[in-house]
Every structure is written in C-alpha cells, then in structure tokens.
C-alpha cells in the first residue's frame, strides 16, 4: 500500500520478465507458469492484484509492443553497425 502505482507496475513487470527469461542458473518458465506465480503472489498480498489483472488482460498487446520494440532495436543496431563500418 505504501508503494506508488508506478512502483507496483514496475514490480509486476520486473518479476514477470525475470520469470520468463533464461538465466545462467535456471531456465525461464512458461508464460502460463509465470502468470500462476505472480497471481499467487498477488493473492498472498505481495503484488498488487489489480496490476496483475491488467497484465493478464493485456498480454496480446504486450507481446505486440515487445515484438515491435525488438524489431526497432534490431534496425537501430544494424544502422549503428553500418555507420561504424563506414568510419
């Protein structure tokens, strides 16, 4: 309750992303498993249940945004590499 809404959003996003990603010490979990984990944390009062519900309701939009951001980053990286080669 003491955290701002922005902080609560960042907490959910950070945990969700961390669960999905492979780490040197463990393999990432499936999206369904990650949702189960954060929904349990919300039920236990560790995460904001409203923020978790918004995440779950907007996964398709999140996936599209993530895909577009990755494409843009790849284009920017390619431009950078081309620029460096021309120097």
């Amino acid at each position: 309750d003491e955290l701002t809404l922005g902080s609560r959003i960042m907490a959910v996003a950070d945990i969700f992303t961390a669960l999905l990603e492979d780490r040197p010490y463990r393999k990432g979990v499936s999206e369904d498993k990650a949702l189960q984990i954060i929904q349990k944390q919300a039920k236990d009062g560790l995460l904001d249940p409203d923020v978790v519900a918004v995440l779950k309701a907007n996964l398709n939009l999140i996936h599209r945004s993530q895909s577009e951001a990755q494409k843009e980053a790849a284009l920017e990286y390619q431009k950078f590499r081309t620029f460096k080669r021309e120097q």
Side-chain angles (χ1 to χ4, degrees), residues 17-29:
T17 301
L19 289 167
L20 294 174
E21 292 177 346
D22 289 345
R23 299 293 169 100
Y25 51 88
R26 66 151 178 81
K27 185 126 174 79
V29 300

Side-chain angles (χ1 to χ4, degrees), residues 2 14 23 49 63:
E2 295 177 22
D14 183 52
R23 299 293 169 100
H63 288 307

Side-chain angles (χ1 to χ4, degrees), residues 50-66:
D50 293 330
V51 174
V52 172
V54 169
L55 168 72
K56 186 176 178 184
N58 289 282
L59 281 174
N60 288 335
L61 175 62
I62 291 166
H63 288 307
R64 278 196 311 272
S65 297
Q66 181 183 29

Side-chain angles (χ1 to χ4, degrees), residues 6-48:
S7 295
R8 288 181 274 149
I9 291 168
M10 289 302 299
V12 170
D14 183 52
I15 292 169
F16 187 67
T17 301
L19 289 167
L20 294 174
E21 292 177 346
D22 289 345
R23 299 293 169 100
Y25 51 88
R26 66 151 178 81
K27 185 126 174 79
V29 300
S30 70
E31 188 174 277
D32 288 338
K33 181 66 176 172
L35 282 172
Q36 288 175 4
I37 291 168
I38 65 170
Q39 285 175 315
K40 181 177 183 332
Q41 289 179 338
K43 181 181 173 190
D44 294 343
L46 300 173
L47 293 173
D48 184 324

